[in-house]
């Protein structure tokens, strides 16, 4: 057994010298962001659980092929300078190492530690429970956070007081810059933030600025493995920043659980993405092995009422303090439920499932006589957001079960429960059926109206090409396709590969990514995938084939082919599976002419004192001309977030039926402000680039 020297900072003896900026948000100690976390261990730790480099209990343990175990940070930093194992000096590279077994990680998570702010907080807990304790229960940590917010985030009225009367949209832009990215000196052109507004009515509860912070996320990717998220943005687009649009279910990013839609990727392996085009950002993210991402993450609004931080373990915490419980768009309430097992091996009696239409983990059933059923606080159809501080918003039932099995006697659930109007209907299956029957039908997609027509964003364009071929009736064109108006996002039919055998490959005019318009005069733009396949087969049997396509172009596309290049479609693969099939970069869709766009209406509901929950870039500016309005950020805990249909990178083409074409910021801001309880957004949504 090893008796370790406890790593203690001045925080254990005095809190006067503590700085929120220097305090680690995971371990609560003061250390550099690149250094390992510090913990005050209360018991002796077995030598087998100690890192051979830092001589401290392992953090994110990694096993080498030669049988040694190190902290992830220690090993990765060591291998930056050397190429061998620190113990036996055998040749070693980081990609050859693997995370330690679940048993080892569970033993480490169970080590008892003391809260680092022991002068005012004497709590002891398992190491895995320290971070939830700091953020939810530690009085010192809460005091530091509140003091820092008071110093750094002036109120909305103070910001307005610093501006001249003639700067109608400057307040919103300045507020957004302060709350989102304090390192930038100048606000981004065209950025408006109706989500960030605060009510000026003294009789209503106020929300402070967004809680946003830069975090580092390290992902270790196997060769040929995808990270599992889609991105939008880039310096060549109106969005500017690189933003995560979507997390792919059951992917590496989903299993890791630290990334979320709306996160802004600032750096990758110390390479800044602040001023790179979209295609270059994709290429950087496709690097093999270890990826160290610096991301700006929105944490939603923080209430100004300090009493909001004090709540019992099973109290209801509403993300929508003004929400109308009878609204069909109210997503429900968030609850914390603590279950206490009589012994570590006692089962909870919970059946967990996943749903086909929504990511995450849901409670299917509570076994009669089980601990959860006796407690009575959890219910069928609750969505599990976290267990013991582990984020499960994009998790799986398997990962949830592992966390439960690894826990000691206390198991802390955070769940989202549907509103009462959604919960009616008796049993789980009946409730789901009744909810589906009551839910308003999905808004129909429709072709972009002539009043919504606009030019592509600056730097993007398209050109039409026509190919006329004479061929043998049995000779194949040699192309594979995807898309169709029945697919997700209602994409047009596009070419995913041009096979080396076939007449189109020899001609060389048609390229992968081209949009199919017609074949022999048969319009393909309105067809579903199966209808397009049938039309192509029928017309290919002719001896003369005339094919019309649209190719989209961008000024910064020199690296696009290499960046987006993936394996060609296997004939046995389902060409409609986005996770297996090649798809164009997000920027390829931006050059598509308006008449090819398919829009849909998204209706958001709120109360008078709430914000809609999204920020926008774009509009008319003298320096940039006319740019479309794009959604840049969707704020957690707001109507836009809970509705779930809006995504970062969506283009807003109309508000309540009034076109946004030709508008500038000062026109769109009051239009959104005037909508007190309901707004209809007409949007075009393109899938982000998969990395």
């Amino acid at each position: 057994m090893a008796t370790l020297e406890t790593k203690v900072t001045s925080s254990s003896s005095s809190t006067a010298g503590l700085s929120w900026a220097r305090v680690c948000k995971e371990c609560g100690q003061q250390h550099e962001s690149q250094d390992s976390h510090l913990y005050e261990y209360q018991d002796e730790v077995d030598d087998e659980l100690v890192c051979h480099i830092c001589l401290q209990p392992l953090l994110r343990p990694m096993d080498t092929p030669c049988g040694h175990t190190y902290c992830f940070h220690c090993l990765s930093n060591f291998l930056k300078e050397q190429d061998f194992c620190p113990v036996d000096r055998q040749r070693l590279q980081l990609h050859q190492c693997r995370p330690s077994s679940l048993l080892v990680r569970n033993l480490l998570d169970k080590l008892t530690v003391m809260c680092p702010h022991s002068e005012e907080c004497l709590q002891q807990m398992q190491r895995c429970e320290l971070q939830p304790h700091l953020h939810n229960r530690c009085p010192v940590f809460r005091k530091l956070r509140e003091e820092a917010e008071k110093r750094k985030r002036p109120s909305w009225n103070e910001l307005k007081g610093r501006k001249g009367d003639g700067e109608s949209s400057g307040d919103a832009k300045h507020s957004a810059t302060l709350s989102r990215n304090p390192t930038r000196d100048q606000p981004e052109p065209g950025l408006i933030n109706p989500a960030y507004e605060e009510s000026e009515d003294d009789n209503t509860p106020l929300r402070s600025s967004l809680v946003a912070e830069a975090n580092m996320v390290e992902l270790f990717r196997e060769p040929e493995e995808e990270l599992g998220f889609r991105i939008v943005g880039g310096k060549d687009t109106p969005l500017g920043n690189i933003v995560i649009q979507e997390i792919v279910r059951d992917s590496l990013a989903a299993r890791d659980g630290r990334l979320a839609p709306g996160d802004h990727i600032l750096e990758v392996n110390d390479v800044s993405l602040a001023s790179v085009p979209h295609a270059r950002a994709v290429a950087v993210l496709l690097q093999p092995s270890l990826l160290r991402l610096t991301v700006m993450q929105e944490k939603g609004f923080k209430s100004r009422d300090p009493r909001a931080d004090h709540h019992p373990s099973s109290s209801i915490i509403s993300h929508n303090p003004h929400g109308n419980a009878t609204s069909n768009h109210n997503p429900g309430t968030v609850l914390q439920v603590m279950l206490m097992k009589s012994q570590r091996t006692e089962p909870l009696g919970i059946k967990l499932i996943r749903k086909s239409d929504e990511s995450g983990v849901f409670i299917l059933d509570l076994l009669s006589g089980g601990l959860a059923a006796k407690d009575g606080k959890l219910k069928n159809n609750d969505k599990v957001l976290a267990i013991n501080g582990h984020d499960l918003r994009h998790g799986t039932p398997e990962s949830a079960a592992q966390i439960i099995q690894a826990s000691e006697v206390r198991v802390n659930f955070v769940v989202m429960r549907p509103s009462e109007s959604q919960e009616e209907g008796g049993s789980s299956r009946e409730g789901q059926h009744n909810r589906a029957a009551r839910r308003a039908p999905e808004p129909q997609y429709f072709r972009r109206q002539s009043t919504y027509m606009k030019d592509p964003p600056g730097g993007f364009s398209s050109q039409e090409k026509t190919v006329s071929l004479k061929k043998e009736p049995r000779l194949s064109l040699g192309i594979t396709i995807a898309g169709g108006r029945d697919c997700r996002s209602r994409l047009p039919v596009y070419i995913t590969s041009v096979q080396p055998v076939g007449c189109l490959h020899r001609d060389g005019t048609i390229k992968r990514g081209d949009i199919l318009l017609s074949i022999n005069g048969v319009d393909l733009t309105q067809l579903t995938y199966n209808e397009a396949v049938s039309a192509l087969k029928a017309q290919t049997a002719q001896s003369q084939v005339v094919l019309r396509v649209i190719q989209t172009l961008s000024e910064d596309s020199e690296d696009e082919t290499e960046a987006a290049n993936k394996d060609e479609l296997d004939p046995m693969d389902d060409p409609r599976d986005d996770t297996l099939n090649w798809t164009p970069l997000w920027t390829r869709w931006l050059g598509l002419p308006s008449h090819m766009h398919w829009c849909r209406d998204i209706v958001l509901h709120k109360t008078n004192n709430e914000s809609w929950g999204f920020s926008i870039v774009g509009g008319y500016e003298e320096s940039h001309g006319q740019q479309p309005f794009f959604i840049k950020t969707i704020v957690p805990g707001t109507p836009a977030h809970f509705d779930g249909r809006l995504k970062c990178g969506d283009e807003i083409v109309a508000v309540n039926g009034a076109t946004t074409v030709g508008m500038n910021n000062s026109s769109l801001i009051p239009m959104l402000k005037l909508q007190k309880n309901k707004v209809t957004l007409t949007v075009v949504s393109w899938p982000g680039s998969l990395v």
Side-chain angles (χ1 to χ4, degrees), residues 130 340 436 567 666 690:
L130 178 60
M340 301 293 294
D567 291 339
S666 59
L690 183 63

Side-chain angles (χ1 to χ4, degrees), residues 225-485:
E225 183 182 17
E226 291 176 339
L227 291 175
F229 56 82
R230 297 181 179 275
I231 63 168
V232 295
K235 78 158 189 179
D236 52 336
T237 75
L239 287 180
N241 293 358
I242 297 297
V243 186
I244 296 178
Q245 182 195 56
E246 181 181 18
I247 303 292
V248 179
R249 278 185 54 183
D250 300 329
S251 64
L252 174 62
R255 293 191 298 270
D256 179 82
R258 288 175 290 173
L259 295 174
D263 289 353
H264 289 224
I265 305 178
L266 307 180
E267 292 182 354
V268 178
N269 291 352
D270 300 324
V271 176
S272 174
L273 299 187
S275 59
V276 301
H278 183 86
R280 174 60 183 158
V282 172
V284 172
L285 286 165
L286 289 177
Q287 295 178 65
S289 189
L290 173 67
L291 286 176
R292 184 179 290 111
L293 310 179
T294 303
V295 295
M296 182 68 73
Q297 298 182 307
E298 306 284 11
K299 302 301 181 183
F301 289 103
K302 182 183 183 300
S303 173
R304 285 185 178 175
D305 185 356
R307 293 172 298 177
D309 289 326
H310 301 276
H311 49 75
S313 60
S314 60
S315 62
I316 296 178
I317 310 166
S318 175
H319 276 265
N320 180 3
H322 312 291
N324 181 357
T326 63
S327 171
N328 291 335
H329 291 264
N330 185 359
T333 51
V334 175
L335 299 93
Q336 292 188 14
V337 176
M338 179 75 77
L339 297 180
M340 301 293 294
K341 298 186 286 187
S342 59
Q343 55 183 349
R344 183 178 179 277
T345 57
E346 180 183 6
L348 300 183
I350 301 175
K351 287 186 177 180
L352 301 173
I353 61 166
R354 71 185 73 188
K355 293 184 178 181
S356 59
D357 59 343
E358 186 176 354
S359 62
V361 181
F362 295 82
I363 295 179
L364 173 66
D365 196 14
L366 303 177
L367 300 183
S368 178
L371 179 61
K374 291 178 180 178
D375 180 80
K377 296 186 180 72
L378 294 175
K379 292 185 178 181
N380 296 348
N381 205 40
D382 283 353
K383 180 174 182 178
V384 181
L385 303 180
I387 299 177
N388 287 352
H390 296 272
D391 189 344
L392 290 170
R393 289 173 297 171
H394 301 281
T396 64
E398 294 78 14
S399 60
Q402 289 178 348
I403 296 171
I404 294 173
Q405 292 169 5
S407 64
E408 290 288 342
V409 295
R410 292 182 299 175
V411 187
N412 185 23
F413 284 82
V414 180
V415 298
M416 171 75 77
R417 178 164 300 163
S419 61
E420 291 299 323
S421 62
Q422 295 176 337
E423 266 191 321
E424 300 169 4
S427 69
S428 173
R429 290 192 176 184
E430 290 175 358
Q432 292 175 12
H433 175 77
N434 290 343
R435 283 193 301 274
R438 286 195 299 271
R439 183 179 178 180
E442 179 72 12
Q444 294 297 310
Y445 284 77
F446 53 89
R447 295 194 70 183
R448 189 158 181 159
Q449 302 173 13
S450 59
T451 53
Y452 301 159
M453 296 298 181
K454 55 89 187 170
D455 293 328
F460 296 89
S461 60
S462 62
Q463 66 179 25
E464 186 175 319
K465 299 184 293 186
T466 301
V467 177
S468 181
L469 298 171
K470 289 186 177 181
K471 54 178 282 297
E472 295 294 331
R474 295 184 179 181
L475 183 61
S476 170
L477 289 176
I479 60 174
T480 56
I481 65 170
R485 295 309 190 182

